[in-house]
Structures are given as structure tokens and as C-alpha cells.
Amino acid sequence: MSVNRLQISELAAQLRIDSIRCTTEAGSGHPTSSMSAADLMAVLMSNYLRYDWHDPHEANNDRLIFSKGHASPLLYSMYRAAGMISDEELLSLRKFRSRLEGHPKPHRHDGAIDDQHGLPWIDVATGSLGQGLPIAVGMGIVGKHIDKLPFHIWVLMGDGEMAEGSVWEAFDKSSFYGLSNVTAIVDVNRLGQQGPTDLGWNVEAYTKRVKAFGWHAIEIDGHDSKAIDAAYQEALDENEKPTCILAKTVKGSGFYLVADKEGWHGKTLSGDQAADAIKELGGERGLAVSVQKPKCSAPSAQRMPTVLKLPVYEVGTEEATRKAFGDALAALGAANPDVMVLDGEVSNSTYTDLFKQTFPERFFEMFIAEQQLVGAALGMSVLGKISFAATFAAFLTRAFDQIRMAAVSGASLRLCGSHVGVSIGEDGPSQMGLEDIAMMRTIHDSTVLYPCDANQTSQLVKEMAKAPGISYLRTSRGKMPVIYRSDEEFRIGGSKVVRRSSNDQVAIIAAGITLHESLRSFSQLQSYGIRARVIDLYSIKPIDIETLHEAAQDTGGNLVVVEDHWADGGIGDAVLDAFTDMTTGMPSVTKLAVRSMPGSGTPQQQLSAAGIDAEHITQAVRLCMRAKHRADISWSVKLL
Amino acid sequence: MSVNRLQISELAAQLRIDSIRCTTEAGSGHPTSSMSAADLMAVLMSNYLRYDWHDPHEANNDRLIFSKGHASPLLYSMYRAAGMISDEELLSLRKFRSRLEGHPKPHRHDGAIDDQHGLPWIDVATGSLGQGLPIAVGMGIVGKHIDKLPFHIWVLMGDGEMAEGSVWEAFDKSSFYGLSNVTAIVDVNRLGQQGPTDLGWNVEAYTKRVKAFGWHAIEIDGHDSKAIDAAYQEALDENEKPTCILAKTVKGSGFYLVADKEGWHGKTLSGDQAADAIKELGGERGLAVSVQKPKCSAPSAQRMPTVLKLPVYEVGTEEATRKAFGDALAALGAANPDVMVLDGEVSNSTYTDLFKQTFPERFFEMFIAEQQLVGAALGMSVLGKISFAATFAAFLTRAFDQIRMAAVSGASLRLCGSHVGVSIGEDGPSQMGLEDIAMMRTIHDSTVLYPCDANQTSQLVKEMAKAPGISYLRTSRGKMPVIYRSDEEFRIGGSKVVRRSSNDQVAIIAAGITLHESLRSFSQLQSYGIRARVIDLYSIKPIDIETLHEAAQDTGGNLVVVEDHWADGGIGDAVLDAFTDMTTGMPSVTKLAVRSMPGSGTPQQQLSAAGIDAEHITQAVRLCMRAKHRADISWSVKLL
């Protein structure tokens, strides 16, 4: 591709000017971080990017991720230059209800991008640094190893974010998977938010690192359009390794007042300063750039989804829900060729290895790199794959920021965390998922599922595959009795009343391992003449408000919640929340949960020590019944 | 140091044997991961480690971190060889209430290690991989730049954890701070949990990476005691760079059946296999190793703490709580030379730069690397420093696993997250802390504070400096009115009733920005003749149960909670939790919180769109009063 130098420099000037104009109009934003990368993006969109703006969901489109999301003014200026947004809309940057938010965001609803209120050309929200490249790894795998399409993934990164570990997880995995379809463009402008970056303009140091991680590296002057052009061509010509272009740039390049000056991060020019800058840059322009259409290539012959045959477990046998998760994944994989599975080097614990054994070409090992694990799953998901990512629930906390940002993207993400709660036993608290429900509940619009039985697990995994948004399955280490028939259905947002009578005095609400402890307690309570309802609250979010309200009403507001999770943020909190915004007063809720730091011990010792086994449930129910009785008595006394 | 080859090989055999014995006895654990590093640890403890076992808190002691925490059997075998635990105790591994848990854990109570129930020779809990080196960075800074003591920090790492980004954040920062007192020993045994690691025995690849990150690197055969010895000496002789020893080892080394075999991760030998192994290794022994005492060196002359003079803000003026946090840090720094501050490259946003300007020698920039930020703060804390780490609340989610593990350590950790909630305005959701309360509440034994005023912030920062455990301060971006006098006290676990009458009809519970919105609503409600109590719940955890119960009683159980956070896991859930385990039922609670994904907009537009501004509070209170009224009427009708 030959460089049209005039057009490039004109376009670059326009991108700088527009970045200045919209941020000055907004009174906030990051013009200088946009200006440093203007030449890089001008060459990219003029000569290399292959993109059908009118069909952003076209599978052959290149992908452009602004990992340095704060350079959004530059991205929006590109949209204007591509004729996709008007100048008026450009100037709506950061205004209430504008699509052009402070940081790029696609606006999805129910998994689909809202093309009117959102920006259909953005695949993933950015703004938390170091997340673009891990996502590109997922996209790169789809392009290179799954759909085998010639599209390229371009990631614009800041030099500051090279300090994020997540970036190095991605450098590692990209080379491991030979993702020559990924190009990282690092805008080395030397200045972070509060001053110089760690490595400043030591581009050589970055090059060494990137090369050591198995990448092809090219150092260029990021304002030399000929050099930029050559670098992009070199990146496209490289067929084995991913390419990292380390572009030495000047922050605020194009306007003397801000160029390479500290103190200008996230700061806008005043009206007068903007006018000066626009003058220095040669005045406003309205260039329209025509971007090349994608190389048309049909996705490799796709097998169509077939009927899903879920595994069947006999009632009365025993199985671990983590094993059932693996079985269900393998079944899903057989039914649908779009199902992909990723794991964080614990596939023999999460049981994703059951999928791997059958569909090795759709299983991707992310090794011990949970941020990359979630990032890659997200990258696959936004390209239309049904990706499941699994590791120990405890270690999913490592990717909380990535999960949070996936929710900002409105994307679908399917996660499984195994080895939850104290009931894992001897390994101790470092391996116990005790915060995962709290983490996943607080994620916007999330689905949090916690099965107690193998058949239930199958059904829930099937539901997850269809669910938009962030869904999470919590699986247990130990075998548990199969209590549900394989033809029972479990919908997201539902629950199962496992024991009930017409005059229950108390309702025990549980999920996972504690459901089984509750069933044991049920029998113990029977021997004391206490009639307990037992509710399996397998869908923690959304929650089955109706069944909970009914239980409160039927039992005179006598609820006991028991969970293998810390007391804060778990099932107890979810149950309490179901009774907010009520006018008639709330039930009495007793929360049994983990409250002291566990050590090692057998699962049963752990459950007992945490006070969440059958014996403790029984004790708690009896105590609260007695207290209730006393309260009722004192209440009658008051009435007298 | 000359190598006593006989002793070393004898000791290494004993460490292997003991690792096998205790895991076989336990029936679980990781013998093969211990065996690969036995020679490395035998040489270390015989010839290099300087440690006073009887005074583990001695400032001159070397520090040994088993970042590969699953090799705990090896660590405990070293304790036995050092004569610190009996053989009987060794064999209690993984048993209920044993100090020797599946993964190393110090057992602290109120910040101090419980020497009886805990292991005083462990500084930090491990078991979540990739966390040891970031913690060593904090320790290295203390040794090299603060106390200027000659102790050395040895970190035993697995090759699998080299895939974790946190490790590369630490490699980067160690070289940046010239931490020649840190040595990473990487046990490259080629095998992870489910199969070969990413790089296998490609030791050269690791070496390239580590060197590119500015480290001195040494490749050795990890079973050649002479080579190991020379490498340690070389590490100690290196005065500028940290040293990484890349030791090629054999997993399960020492016993033919398991050596370099897949499928043996986290698997124990049967009794017969163990007997064979012990025979192959030359039989049980009871060597006692005398470890060198630390080089005695007095810490550099320390200034003693002086009286703390907190900044004073006039009631009626305006200030941002993030600014008050910075002011308070500077005041703390002046009073106490042990106060250290770290930031994630946003010090001009969190205002830690106010500390940095006054005490640059005690401020440590961690750049955009939040896992490292928290790791370093923890490393400093366990060496007795009062370290505060700050970044945007949204980005602290990046370090959730590190925070969780700090709680497992029982360590003290002081965190500040700024820019919370939708009220940050135009930057959009990627920058908004909307999950931080949920994250920090679910951390075991944590303290979660959320001030609404500058003087309150000062007092709470003062309290944090004294508090054991994990404490978290949530600060806001915008200026807010100063409503409290500087001599008011705010204790952890308290609250302030800001408005009250003798016959309040409703209590509005808020903190931070929503407290001010609640005060505006209070006036609006007055005009409707509604008497509202307003409670500033600045201590979200622990929570002031008494004041909440009183409010419920006084208002007939009419509570409205309003918060700038997602509805799940936030202040509303904390308030509801305060009414569990009661016999009399709960109050009616209305939760106002963020429920839809925000975009850009002014702070006031955001508060309004989220339904948490004064107008929405007023509306909610009126609605719930009317509903309550209706409910009361229908209740009376029923009674008739």
C-alpha cells in the first residue's frame, strides 16, 4: 500500500483538530492522549483498516480496539472522518445521553448492540487500562484458529498500560497461539497521568520485553507516516508471530503549548488555546476518508447446531457439580460448534478437560492467567462465540475488573468458578471461593447460579449458553447426592421448594452443599416436631421473589438462610434484598454463613466449624423458633 | 560460602522424604511440587538464609516467601529440619486445627501473629499464585530504601505462576527500584497441574524475559548443589539489580515413579509407594540444620512519632474527600515516620501527591499496576510499616485476589479508592467505583469507611492508621460541603445522626455524596410536613447496629437507604444485615441505588438518572409513607 502523504497529514491534522474541538466543547476529556496517536490512526484508516462501516457485524471486518480508551476523542474523530457521525454529534462528546461517552462503550441490550443509542463499531468498552490486548487474543484465536478468516485485529495501546500485568499475560498467550493476526500499536508518548511513565521513551526496553515474549517488534517514529505505513505492512506480512509496533510519539503532538508537556493529561484547551491550536494545525477541515472494505471470505464450512443431549444422572447416585459442568460442556459442544471453552490451567479440577478431550480444537488453555482467561472469553463472545471460561472461584477474583468491564460492554460472558466454600476441605482458605457470590452479584445485570445436583447443573449450563449478559456458575468440589430427575427444568430466576407442608413453621433457604445439609436438618427437625420448608435457591440472581415471599407468609416470617460463603454479600443478602421496597414489614431472617477464617480439615469438619452443617441449621432453627415463641408471648402480653 | 556437599544432599533427601511422609499421612497435598525444589531449599537454609527462628520479628531477618504455596510440605519440612516443629507436628499436616495447613498461613489476630496457633515464620499467606514477588517488592523497598538493613528476600516461585501478570508487574517494579535485595528462585519443573506449562523447560525463554525486565538472571541445574550455591552467592554479590535464578528441575525429583511424570500434581503417594520412595532416598533421617543468624544492623536512626496535627476545614466551605484524604496522609506522615504511601499512577487524582510532595522518600509510585500496588503495601505492612495504597476505586477491583489473600494473612492493609459512584460525572462507567463496597464488605474482618466531609475524612484516616486488618476508605471526586466541625470524632463502627426529631416518621440512611442529597431531601420533606431522620452511615462495616435499630423503632420501621453504588452488595445490603437474627421481624427498607448502566453526564445529571438525588429520595420517602399509610389502613380494616 503506497502512502498518500498529503492525505495522511491532512487527515492526521483533522483528527487532532477534532479531538481538540470536541474536548474543548465538552470541557473535559483527553486531547493530548489523542494527539499523540493521530498519525498512527490516520495511516491505519487510510491504508490498512478493512472495515465495512455499514455492516459492523460482518465477520470479515478488521477489529480496532482502543485499549487506551481515554483517547476516545481520536476514535470519535475517526468516525467523523469516516462519515459515520456528524460534526454536530462529535461535539456532543461527554454530554448526557450522547453515544460519545468519556470512554468508548458499545451499549448492548440483551446481548445485541443497540445501533441507535450505542456505537456499533465498538466491540468492547475500554477505559480500564491493559484490557484491550487480552480481548484481542480471544478475537485472534477466533480469526486464526476457529473461523479461519483473514481479518486483522489492531489494538491501540498506551505506554502507561504496559505496566499492567494483564498486558504481559496477553503478550505471552498471543505468541503461544501464534496470533499473527494481532497487531499491538503502542503509543509511547512518555507521559502518564501524573508524570513520566516507568520507562519513558526507552522504546528499546519495550522492544526487548515484547521480543522476549515471542513477538515480532518494530520501533518507529510514530509521527513519520512513511515509517508507520511500512510497519503496518510488515505486520500484515508477518505470518507466524503477532507484531508489536512501538511508536515513539509526542503527547499533545501538533500544538506547541501542550506538546511533550507534563500537567496536560486529561486536561482540555480553553477556547482561545483551541483556536490557536487549530490555527497551528492549519484550520478545520472536513476530509472524508474511504476505508477499504474487508476481504471477503466465507467462514470455514460451519456445522449447524444440532439437538442438545444433556447427560443423565440417576437420582440417588452421587456426583460433583463441577463434574456435571464438564459433562454438560461436552454435550453443548457436541450440539453447537460455536461453543468454546477456556481454562486457567486447572481443567482437571474444573472438569473442562471433559470438553477438551472431545473438542481439543475448541478448547483453549490460558494457563495461570485469569485476566487473560476472561479477556479471551470476552473477545470470542463479542465475535459471536458461546465461550465458557472456568477456573477456581477463588481465582476468578483476579479478573474482577475484566468482569466489571465486560458488564460495561453489555457483553455476554459465561464463567464457572469451582471449589467454592469451606467444603473443599484440606486445601485451606487460599483455594476456597468465599467471596465469589458477592463479586458476581454486584456485577450489573449478572446471573448467579449455584447448583446442588448434577442434573440441575446440566440444565443451568444449558440456560447459561442462551443467556445474554454475564452469567456465573458456582460449582462444588465434592460429590453430592443426585436429588433431581433429569427431566426437571430449572430456569434462571427460579427456585425449587424441596420440602414443604401445608403448615410450615420455618423456611430454610439454601443452595449447593448447604441444600444437602438442610435436607439432613429437615429430618432432624422432624424429630423435634418442627415442620420446615426447604428451598433450593439455585438462582441467586435473579432471585425468585415470589417463592421467598410465599415462604415468609406461610411461616409467619421465619426464614433461615444457610450458605457456604462469607456472610457479607452472599445468599443471605440476596434473600434480604427480596424483601425491600415492601410496605408490610419484613420477615425475621437468620443468616448462617462463614464468619471466621477457616484452616484445613475435612469437608465435614469445615462445615461444622463454620456453623453451616445440618446440626447447626437445626440448632439455629430451634433457637429462632423459641425466640419467636418468646417474642409472640411478650407481644400478647403487650396487647393485654 | 563453601558447600558442604554431603550435608546438602542429606538435607535435601530429608526434605523430600518429609514432604512425602506428611502428605501421605494427610492423604492430600503436593509432594512432587515440593521435591523439585528440595535441593534449592537445602542449599538456601544451610548456607545462605540468615534467620533467627526464635525471634521471627527481628528486623534483620531474611525473608523467605513460598510464592508457590502448594509446596508447603517442603516449607514445613524445613521447619522440622530447623528444629522448630516436631516430627509429630509435621505429620499433622492438613489436619483440622493443625498450624500446618494445606497452604502456608501465618494466623494473625488483631494484626499480630499468634505464635502458638500460627506459624510465626510465615509473613504472608500464599496459595494464590503470582503473589509472592509483588509482596517481596514491598519488603525490598523497606530493606533497601527505608530501613536500609542488609536482610535479603528470597522468593521461591513455580514456573507455572510465571504466566500470571502480577509477576511481571513485580519484575518491572523490582528493577525500577533497584531491589538487589530480592532474589526470585524459579523452580522450573516443567509441569503444571494439568500438564506441561506454557514454556516447559525453555529456561532460556524465561531468562530473556526476566533480563528484558531489568533483572540479573542466572540459569542453573536446580539439582546441582554447587551450581545452586554459586547462584545464591552471585545474587548476594549483585548490588544493583534483583536476581532471578532460573533453576531447571524435575518435578517429583528423587523418586523414579513420579519424577517428571504427568498426572502427579497435587497427588500423594500411597503408603507402599512412600515406603519405596523413602528407601530410594536412603531412609528417614533427623538432620538438624543450624541456620545462620541475621547480620545485626540497627535500623537507620528513626524519628519517633510525634503528635498528629490533622488539617482543619471550616464548616460551610467545600472540599473533596479525596483531597482531605491527601491532606490527612501528609499530616500522618509528619507525625509518624512509619507511614508510607503508594499509588497506581493517579496520585494527582487520589491526592496522594500531597504526601509525595512532603515526603518523597516515603512515597512509592507503582505505576498502572494495581496488583503490585496492593502487594507492595502488604509487604511493607507485614514488616511493620503503616502503608496506604490508593488508586481509583474502580481499579482496585484489579487487586481483589490480593486483598482477599491479605485477609487470609490476617495482615493490615490500608486502601483508598477514589472516584466512586456515578457522581464522578463525564468520564463514564469504566472509571466509576460502583462495585467497591460489595468487594470490600465481603473481605473477612474488613473495615469499610465512606466519608461525606473533609473533617470526617481526616478522622477516619487517623483511625485507619491504627486499625488492624483490611481497611478501606471510599473517597469522592467532587467537592462537598464541610458539615462537621474538626473536633468531632468519628470512630470505626459508628454513625452520625445528622437530623432528628422526637417523632421522626422515616429514617434516611446515606453516606458520602448521598448524605448531602439526603440533607437536601430533608428540607424538601419538611415542606411536605414529613419528619425525616438523616443518618450518616460513614462506617459501612462494622456497622452501627444500635443506631439503626433505634431508627427502625422510632420510625415504625420506615427506612430508606440511598447510595451511589450498585444495589447489590452495597450500603443497603449492609443495613438489611443489621436486622438479621432478630426475633421481631425487620423494618421496611427501601433501597435507592444505581440500577442501570450510566453513561456520561454532569454529576448532578448522573445522580438524577440513577434516582439517588434529593428529588428521588423525597419521592421515594413520600411513596413509602403513602404505601405504609395504606397498609396501616388495610391492617386496621383487617382487625375490624
Side-chain angles (χ1 to χ4, degrees), chain A residues 389-403:
Chain A
T391 182
F392 280 35
F395 306 141
L396 266 184
T397 56
R398 207 67 161 251
F400 189 17
D401 196 24
Q402 281 75 12
I403 301 168

Side-chain angles (χ1 to χ4, degrees), chain B residues 124-143:
Chain B
V124 287
T126 49
S128 178
L129 291 166
Q131 300 203 7
L133 200 60
I135 293 167
V137 170
M139 294 176 166
I141 288 174
V142 169

Side-chain angles (χ1 to χ4, degrees), chain B residues 48-95:
Chain B
Y48 290 91
L49 188 71
R50 289 176 168 274
Y51 199 84
D52 186 344
W53 295 97
H54 297 284
D55 188 5
H57 310 302
E58 159 63 47
N60 289 288
N61 275 343
D62 278 2
R63 301 287 151 183
L64 172 61
I65 303 176
F66 262 50
S67 187
K68 52 176 288 186
H70 54 289
S72 59
L74 175 61
L75 183 65
Y76 305 149
S77 299
M78 291 168 73
Y79 293 163
R80 185 200 164 214
M84 298 313 294
I85 64 171
S86 66
D87 194 52
E88 189 192 350
E89 183 168 10
L90 177 70
L91 297 179
S92 76
L93 174 72
R94 289 174 164 254
K95 298 231 162 60

Side-chain angles (χ1 to χ4, degrees), chain B residues 378-401:
Chain B
L378 177 61
M380 293 180 181
S381 167
V382 296
L383 294 192
K385 304 302 171 190
I386 301 167
S387 51
F388 283 82
T391 183
F392 280 35
F395 306 141
L396 266 183
T397 54
R398 207 69 161 246
F400 189 18
D401 196 25

Side-chain angles (χ1 to χ4, degrees), chain A residues 296-417:
Chain A
C296 273
S297 169
S300 53
Q302 292 275 322
R303 204 162 53 79
M304 293 306 291
T306 55
V307 176
L308 173 62
K309 278 185 204 150
L310 286 174
V312 168
Y313 308 89
E314 288 302 313
V315 171
T317 61
E318 290 208 322
E319 193 49 277
T321 52
R322 60 177 172 136
K323 167 73 162 46
F325 166 69
D327 289 336
L329 282 187
L332 274 180
N336 191 330
D338 280 338
V339 172
M340 313 284 143
V341 175
L342 306 98
D343 200 285
E345 220 276 308
V346 288
S347 56
N348 50 344
S349 287
T350 59
Y351 278 107
T352 58
D353 62 359
L354 297 176
F355 180 93
K356 176 182 168 182
Q357 284 155 21
T358 326
F359 307 104
E361 72 287 359
R362 286 190 267 141
F363 177 88
F364 299 93
E365 181 59 74
M366 291 293 133
F367 298 94
I368 310 175
E370 294 79 12
Q371 298 184 79
Q372 176 57 65
L373 172 70
V374 170
L378 177 61
M380 291 179 182
S381 168
V382 295
L383 294 192
K385 303 302 170 191
I386 300 167
S387 52
F388 283 82
T391 182
F392 280 35
F395 306 141
L396 266 184
T397 56
R398 207 67 161 251
F400 189 17
D401 196 24
Q402 281 75 12
I403 301 168
R404 174 184 81 86
M405 286 298 296
V408 175
S409 286
S412 296
L413 190 62
R414 295 164 182 93
L415 304 172
C416 174

Side-chain angles (χ1 to χ4, degrees), chain A residues 87-102:
Chain A
D87 195 53
E88 191 192 348
E89 184 168 11
L90 178 70
L91 298 178
S92 76
L93 173 73
R94 288 173 164 257
K95 298 232 162 60
F96 192 54
R97 301 208 192 284
S98 168
R99 299 193 288 181
L100 309 187
E101 297 189 11

